[in-house]
Amino acid sequence: MSTPETRPQHSQATHTGRSNIPSVSSNAEGEDIPEFEPFGLHPRGRPNLRDFLDVWDMNMLKTRDEINKKEHRTHLYNNDNLIVRRGQQFQIKITFNREYNPAKDKFWVEFLIGRYPQGNKGTYVAVSPNQDQTDGQWGARVLGSEGSIVTLGITPAPDCIVGKFRLYVAVMTPYGIRRTRRDPQTDTYILFNPWAPDDSVYMGKDGEIEEYVLNEAGIIYFGEASEVESRPWNFGQFEYGVLDACLFIMDKAQMPLTGRGNPVKVSRVASAMVNAKDDDGVIVGNWSGDYLYGVAPTAWTGSVEILLNYASGGMPVCYGQCWVFAAVFNTFLRCLGIPARVVTNFFSAHDNDGNLKTDAIVDEDGKLDRNLTKDSVWNYHCWNECWMTRSDLPEGFGGWQAVDATPQETSDGMYRCGPASVHAIKQGRVYLPFDTPFVFAEVNSDVVYWKRKKDGTQEVVKVDPHHMGKMILTKEVGRDESKDVTDLYKFPEGSEEERLATEAAVAYGLKKAEIEAPVTEVDIAVNVQDVQLGSDFILALEFKNKTPHPRTMVIHVSGNIVYYTGVTHAEFKSLTKQVTVKPGETKTVDVEVKSQEYLSHLVEQAMLNFFITGRVNETNQILTAQRVLTLQVPKLTVKVSGIPRVNEQMFVTVEFTNPVKFNLDNVNMRMEGAGLLRTKVKNYSIIPPNSSLTWTESFVPSRPGRSKIIVSLDCNTLRQVYGQAELSIDP
């Protein structure tokens, strides 16, 4: 038997014998093309080229104040090269050695991307001035000529490859083709264009494009459906190095260049690459609460630091959870010109078997059996929507597409999800690609409560068809307020349209148990006021007897510390109560919860889950109710001072007072602001109770417009603490 040392070592498979060139899957620079390309035989010695057209200079009109970046809305990118959008004309000025004569001079502009550029692959494009331009193709025309300077207008095809192209000007001579030298300063980035009607990401509504492509400051919603919290996020898609980092992500995925003009393929590849689960992608997911060797997911303030760290080292960045994956993915999409937004689904089913139900098991006394209850419901889950046509789907399923970079389940062998047509999800058309059944189940599953008898058999005691997908939120266009988009994913609960959509989903392969739930005689509601972290509070249990007979009940109250994924960390409270309710009466029973009961058990995001179950003695009816409580954490006070003007020094001051009754140890603080300052980090070893801190940093704005400074505070015992300051910078 051979050992690893003696076993023959095989070299990595190559393209040899299969194709003339390897697959081109990198935007990285290839070999230079020759400055002079001769035509066969020519006179001895160097050919006399002085009589022919020669290029002396190329002006790419690439500064923020010049026409190209203004008209293409790329003036915000902190990048010295020309950045344009496909399907829209841009201009360059070419200075020749003499006046250009169209009758006898022939020149063209060449665009190359990657290695081994080929015309039939779209990786080599040559455009000649005033050639007959065909709709949907590249084109060029002379816009003006003044002396030896020619102004050329070039229009990339609306479906061309998105990436960084090398640019040359080639001139025809009788002896061969003469080209300009390789000059990285003329490299040109071409992006998706949501303003161009022929581009597949065309949106057509300027206000929405401003929000979903050009806005760098986002809001991410989290918490619980009845107590929604929000946090700011700096997408920073225009910051220095971010555009190159996004192209690097596609290179790292070895995505063929030929697919990089298709937003469906780009978003699907990126949904796999943003997580590091199986491909050394951008972010390592971690839900354990132990972040010793990285940054806690709750500590990040934006995407820029994550993307630049990944691009500089090529190694996954630690750590992320769903909103981090969604926020970084959002930066990637907006940076490349694909309209995108982050959405949050409150009460999201984690369905790994295509089943439209989540099971909870209780015993004969109505107490939750945690050993048998394996399904968990995420209190919230963040994913993305991106806007595009879907030529691969029947007409009518374009528009918003759900894409999810959080590694939950594999799709075609990789941890990714989407793009799934949101309209297809609403209609129950789960046969349409990609991963539509998974997203449909996230927002439509039923919660089924089963009573397990002593003989091992189970019977249904309650079905809650309205728990999942309780509410789906995103940021409103142009305002820092929430927008409810639940109606894009599902019809109103109980409507005929909802029933038909579910029937369609089942007909196309989703499994749904047909379960008849018994009629309830007693209802339970759980009420609680907003609770500050570290406070005592009252949990009010409200029982409503809908029968003409008195009812006595045994009620179990279980208080648990949970991660936002619904996974239980620890039970901190357990009690049993006898309750009697008169006929037709509504009775409230108060349960007191002391801070010392839960504080020592808290994990990140400070969520408490109360599970109330019980049994009606007279009828053996099982009662169930649950309530997730998000404890309110303090906010940071952020103030700015100085003259709000480009290149003027300003100051930002952060203030915080420890509100809890114990020390905060190993406190990490971060601040950043798009166009204002790069990420700053400060650490404090200890902050005693009632102690305050003040942190001041100077910064110099680099561009005009509205922006935000975002600050976070994070430690093992206090997460999700944020603050922000909005300011308007004058030119």
Side-chain angles (χ1 to χ4, degrees):
M1 180 181 293
S2 63
T3 66
E5 290 75 19
T6 62
R7 190 178 300 125
Q9 298 296 310
H10 297 284
S11 60
Q12 187 175 2
T14 70
H15 70 285
T16 305
R18 177 174 56 86
S19 62
N20 288 327
I21 60 174
S23 175
V24 181
S25 57
S26 174
N27 202 150
E29 188 168 327
E31 296 85 356
D32 286 340
I33 56 177
E35 290 182 34
F36 186 75
E37 188 177 337
F39 296 149
L41 298 176
H42 54 78
R44 293 180 179 178
R46 293 178 60 85
N48 178 18
L49 300 176
R50 287 175 296 179
D51 297 333
F52 302 100
L53 207 60
D54 189 17
V55 179
W56 280 6
D57 182 59
M58 276 193 293
N59 183 354
M60 303 301 293
L61 305 175
K62 60 184 181 179
T63 67
R64 288 180 179 175
D65 298 327
E66 292 180 298
I67 185 171
N68 286 331
K69 287 188 175 179
K70 281 187 173 181
E71 290 194 349
H72 285 254
R73 300 168 178 87
T74 59
H75 58 286
L76 295 174
Y77 286 89
N78 187 357
N79 189 304
D80 292 334
N81 284 82
L82 178 60
I83 304 173
V84 296
R85 301 185 187 276
R86 62 188 194 175
Q88 180 178 342
Q89 180 179 272
F90 66 92
Q91 299 180 21
I92 62 173
K93 290 182 180 292
I94 305 173
T95 301
F96 294 107
N97 59 326
R98 58 170 172 78
E99 186 174 346
Y100 166 61
N101 183 349
K104 69 173 188 177
D105 295 326
K106 183 177 182 181
F107 76 94
W108 60 92
V109 181
E110 298 175 322
F111 293 83
L112 293 76
I113 186 170
R115 302 180 67 189
Y116 315 112
Q118 295 176 273
N120 63 344
K121 302 289 188 182
T123 52
Y124 170 85
V125 179
V127 286
S128 300
N130 301 323
Q131 68 183 25
D132 291 336
Q133 184 171 352
T134 307
D135 288 344
Q137 302 296 318
W138 286 72
R141 60 193 180 100
V142 174
L143 301 178
S145 181
E146 184 177 347
S148 61
I149 300 176
V150 173
T151 301
L152 192 66
I154 301 173
T155 304
D159 61 351
C160 76
I161 293 169
V162 166
K164 184 168 72 171
F165 287 79
R166 308 185 296 280
L167 187 148
Y168 301 87
V169 177
V171 177
M172 176 72 75
T173 76
Y175 309 109
I177 300 170
R178 177 164 59 180
R179 292 185 177 88
T180 53
R181 291 181 177 178
R182 173 78 184 99
D183 183 3
Q185 297 301 313
T186 64
D187 287 352
T188 300
Y189 296 84
I190 300 180
L191 308 180
F192 291 100
N193 192 351
W195 289 273
D198 292 332
D199 197 309
S200 52
V201 301
Y202 174 66
M203 203 165 200
K205 299 177 181 178
D206 281 351
E208 293 190 359
I209 302 176
E210 290 281 335
E211 177 69 44
Y212 300 134
V213 176
L214 300 183
N215 189 7
E216 294 178 273
I219 294 178
I220 298 173
Y221 296 96
F222 66 98
E224 197 264 346
S226 60
E227 297 176 271
V228 175
E229 298 285 334
S230 65
R231 58 165 295 171
W233 190 275
N234 176 32
F235 295 125
Q237 64 265 34
F238 305 122
E239 293 295 286
Y240 178 80
V242 170
L243 177 54
D244 287 315
C246 294
L247 299 183
F248 173 77
I249 288 171
M250 292 190 286
D251 286 353
K252 194 73 183 293
Q254 298 185 352
M255 181 182 184
L257 291 177
T258 53
R260 298 191 191 186
N262 185 333
V264 176
K265 295 180 179 180
V266 169
S267 60
R268 184 151 175 80
V269 166
S271 75
M273 278 302 299
V274 169
N275 71 75
K277 187 73 173 178
D278 48 18
D279 49 15
D280 288 333
V282 181
I283 308 164
V284 177
N286 186 344
W287 286 262
S288 70
D290 180 6
Y291 310 118
L292 179 62
Y293 298 106
V295 176
T298 46
W300 299 111
T301 50
S303 307
V304 179
E305 183 182 2
I306 295 171
L307 287 168
L308 295 187
N309 285 347
Y310 181 69
S312 64
M315 297 298 293
V317 178
C318 301
Y319 293 104
Q321 292 176 3
C322 72
W323 70 91
V324 182
F325 291 114
V328 172
F329 197 3
N330 212 60
T331 298
F332 173 91
L333 294 166
R334 289 187 183 184
C335 185
L336 295 183
I338 302 175
R341 61 190 185 187
V342 176
V343 301
T344 302
N345 177 35
F346 289 91
F347 295 124
S348 187
H350 181 88
D351 187 359
N352 58 10
D353 62 359
N355 196 317
L356 286 175
K357 66 183 180 69
T358 299
D359 298 319
I361 316 297
V362 298
D363 62 23
E364 289 188 311
D365 292 327
K367 193 170 184 178
L368 183 68
D369 190 327
R370 297 196 175 278
N371 292 324
L372 294 178
T373 301
K374 303 299 183 184
D375 291 345
S376 64
V377 178
W378 291 34
N379 296 324
Y380 67 91
H381 179 47
C382 300
W383 62 72
N384 302 82
E385 291 175 353
C386 51
W387 181 274
M388 64 187 72
T389 59
R390 289 295 298 269
S391 58
D392 58 323
L393 302 183
E395 187 175 352
F397 292 101
W400 288 117
Q401 311 290 312
V403 284
D404 191 350
T406 299
Q408 296 185 83
E409 302 296 333
T410 58
S411 172
D412 294 334
M414 300 186 73
Y415 281 92
R416 57 185 168 188
C417 181
S421 166
V422 172
H423 189 58
I425 294 165
K426 183 174 183 176
Q427 297 287 342
R429 304 293 185 89
V430 296
Y431 62 93
L432 294 175
F434 296 91
D435 309 308
T436 310
F438 186 87
V439 185
F440 184 91
E442 285 183 302
V443 300
N444 284 294
S445 291
D446 296 340
V447 180
V448 181
Y449 296 89
W450 300 82
K451 180 173 73 174
R452 186 175 186 271
K453 300 178 182 179
K454 289 185 173 64
D455 62 4
T457 60
Q458 296 182 165
E459 66 176 353
V460 176
V461 294
K462 182 180 178 181
V463 177
D464 186 350
H466 310 309
H467 189 70
M468 300 300 184
K470 183 79 72 176
M471 182 168 58
I472 304 172
L473 297 181
T474 190
K475 179 185 176 297
E476 183 63 84
V477 173
R479 294 182 294 161
D480 286 354
E481 298 177 9
S482 63
K483 176 182 176 66
D484 192 328
V485 294
T486 312
D487 63 335
L488 296 183
Y489 282 84
K490 55 201 297 189
F491 292 102
E493 298 284 1
S495 66
E496 179 67 11
E497 294 90 345
E498 184 209 21
R499 183 184 65 81
L500 292 174
T502 302
E503 288 180 357
V506 173
Y508 291 124
L510 273 185
K511 295 176 288 183
K512 181 177 176 67
E514 297 298 331
I515 300 171
E516 284 288 335
V519 178
T520 59
E521 294 183 344
V522 180
D523 287 339
I524 305 179
V526 185
N527 300 310
V528 63
Q529 300 297 321
D530 289 346
V531 179
Q532 296 293 323
L533 177 69
S535 300
D536 302 340
F537 62 93
I538 297 294
L539 196 69
L541 310 181
E542 186 180 276
F543 299 89
K544 183 177 181 180
N545 183 359
K546 298 185 290 184
T547 74
H549 309 287
R551 291 291 183 249
T552 58
M553 294 159 283
V554 178
I555 302 300
H556 306 283
V557 179
S558 175
N560 303 274
I561 306 292
V562 296
Y563 298 95
Y564 82 96
T565 56
V567 176
T568 300
H569 170 67
E571 184 179 53
F572 68 88
K573 191 174 189 69
S574 178
L575 62 86
T576 301
K577 279 181 172 286
Q578 296 279 345
V579 179
T580 300
V581 188
K582 297 176 182 178
E585 180 188 19
T586 298
K587 184 174 184 177
T588 300
V589 176
D590 290 341
V591 176
E592 186 177 16
V593 180
K594 297 284 189 180
S595 61
Q596 58 263 33
E597 292 181 279
Y598 64 81
L599 274 177
S600 62
H601 300 288
L602 281 181
V603 292
E604 59 194 65
Q605 303 193 51
M607 285 186 172
L608 310 182
N609 185 4
F610 291 94
F611 209 106
I612 294 88
T613 57
R615 185 190 72 241
V616 178
N617 293 329
E618 290 81 5
T619 62
N620 284 326
Q621 177 194 346
I622 298 296
L623 307 177
T624 63
Q626 61 177 313
R627 174 65 186 271
V628 177
L629 176 63
T630 302
L631 299 174
Q632 306 296 307
V633 297
K635 302 293 183 183
L636 299 176
T637 302
V638 185
K639 300 176 182 177
V640 293
S641 59
I643 301 174
R645 187 180 298 142
V646 172
N647 295 328
E648 292 279 354
Q649 187 178 48
M650 298 185 68
F651 297 90
V652 54
T653 299
V654 184
E655 298 175 351
F656 172 75
T657 300
N658 179 7
V660 295
K661 303 172 184 177
F662 50 83
N663 293 336
L664 299 179
D665 299 320
N666 299 318
V667 177
N668 171 282
M669 294 189 70
R670 266 180 165 72
M671 74 164 62
E672 65 176 296
L676 302 174
L677 77 164
R678 300 294 285 268
T679 304
K680 301 278 188 179
V681 180
K682 197 172 184 67
N683 296 296
Y684 297 85
S685 59
I686 186 171
I687 305 177
N690 299 317
S691 294
S692 299
L693 64 84
T694 301
W695 176 22
T696 300
E697 288 282 350
S698 64
F699 64 96
V700 178
S702 61
R703 63 171 187 254
R706 300 193 69 83
S707 189
K708 290 180 180 180
I709 291 180
I710 300 170
V711 189
S712 75
L713 179 147
D714 197 88
C715 64
N716 287 337
T717 51
L718 192 60
R719 308 280 192 196
Q720 298 279 33
V721 180
Y722 308 104
Q724 62 179 336
E726 186 170 354
L727 59 163
S728 181
I729 304 299
D730 297 326

